[in-house]
Amino acid sequence: MRKIQTQGVHHITLMGADRQTSIDFWEGVLGMPFIFDQPNLDDPSQGHLYFDPGDGRLITIFTNEERKPDATRTSTETGAVHHIAFNVSQASFWQVAKRLDARGIKHSGPKDRGFMDSIYFQDPLGLLVELASYRFEPPEGCRHADVMIEAHRIRVERGDYNIDREHLADAIELLVSRTQQSLSADRGPRDPYAKG
């Protein structure tokens, strides 16, 4: 038996209502460029809209002009999607609440997740959307996931409840020491201010 190795999310497809509601939300609220439009090739009664969430991947929406928006919270039963999260920069994150308030969109307010900041709100069809912003940048040549796994190991070793900023900082330092060369034989901390 052998695994099938994935290499990232290709796209996520959601069931939408009418075409304009989808465009107004995904592009008009979240700023995702509307990049492709064709019929649903498996069901010609539906449209298939494509949006770029900012990383060149795709969010696609099946639409039908007979379906109207229903803001009832989508199912959270076993097997259902609880929420979908999108990355935003720290600069954008701290504007989200104000910009949602200006539109009259209810939201959770900023949530401290230790390694990231989050804010939650529903789309016009009741899907919970999270805008998340990492509190760190990974070292050159590393990914966010590399920092997260090292921070997790540090957290567990210390017996801490959740990952927080100190775990991230220590994980970044560890990754730099592993992945970036130095001419120094000893790269330990020093005090250049100590008097001799």
Side-chain angles (χ1 to χ4, degrees):
M1 208 180 326
R2 298 172 76 182
K3 293 187 284 188
I4 301 169
Q5 187 60 58
T6 65
Q7 293 181 271
V9 173
H10 186 282
H11 70 277
I12 295 171
T13 299
L14 303 169
M15 294 300 290
D18 60 285
R19 184 177 192 277
Q20 196 60 50
T21 297
S22 296
I23 295 168
D24 289 350
F25 179 74
W26 297 99
E27 186 172 50
V29 174
L30 294 181
M32 296 182 186
F34 176 33
I35 60 166
F36 189 49
D37 182 5
Q38 69 178 19
N40 174 349
L41 299 180
D42 295 320
D43 181 353
S45 72
Q46 297 185 109
H48 197 177
L49 311 183
Y50 292 69
F51 298 88
D52 178 353
D55 60 1
R57 309 288 182 180
L58 299 168
I59 297 295
T60 78
I61 314 295
F62 287 147
T63 63
N64 182 306
E65 295 310 301
E66 294 177 16
R67 293 195 297 251
K68 298 301 169 207
D70 177 359
T72 305
R73 174 69 172 106
T74 55
S75 172
T76 57
E77 296 296 318
T78 302
V81 172
H82 183 274
H83 69 277
I84 187 167
F86 298 102
N87 187 40
V88 295
S89 73
Q90 281 282 295
S92 295
F93 180 82
W94 294 106
Q95 297 299 308
V96 171
K98 179 174 142 184
R99 294 179 185 196
L100 291 173
D101 289 344
R103 294 172 177 271
I105 298 172
K106 289 192 236 177
H107 57 83
S108 66
K111 298 286 185 184
D112 176 347
R113 299 300 188 215
F115 65 95
M116 69 180 186
D117 296 297
S118 296
I119 192 166
Y120 301 85
F121 61 99
Q122 290 183 12
D123 81 348
L125 309 182
L127 175 67
L128 189 62
V129 174
E130 174 185 6
L131 298 181
S133 182
Y134 284 114
R135 292 178 169 173
F136 67 95
E137 287 300 320
E140 186 65 32
C142 297
R143 302 166 307 139
H144 284 89
D146 298 324
V147 175
M148 295 293 295
I149 195 166
E150 292 301 337
H152 169 79
R153 289 175 176 147
I154 292 166
R155 174 192 71 81
V156 170
E157 181 181 299
R158 293 177 185 170
D160 295 332
Y161 184 69
N162 64 285
I163 292 175
D164 213 336
R165 288 178 173 96
E166 184 176 353
H167 306 110
L168 296 169
D170 292 346
I172 290 167
E173 182 180 347
L174 179 66
L175 286 167
V176 168
S177 71
R178 279 191 199 151
T179 62
Q180 298 176 17
Q181 296 182 36
S182 172
L183 293 175
S184 298
D186 178 0
R187 295 171 71 174
R190 302 274 190 282
D191 185 358
Y193 301 98
K195 301 202 180 194

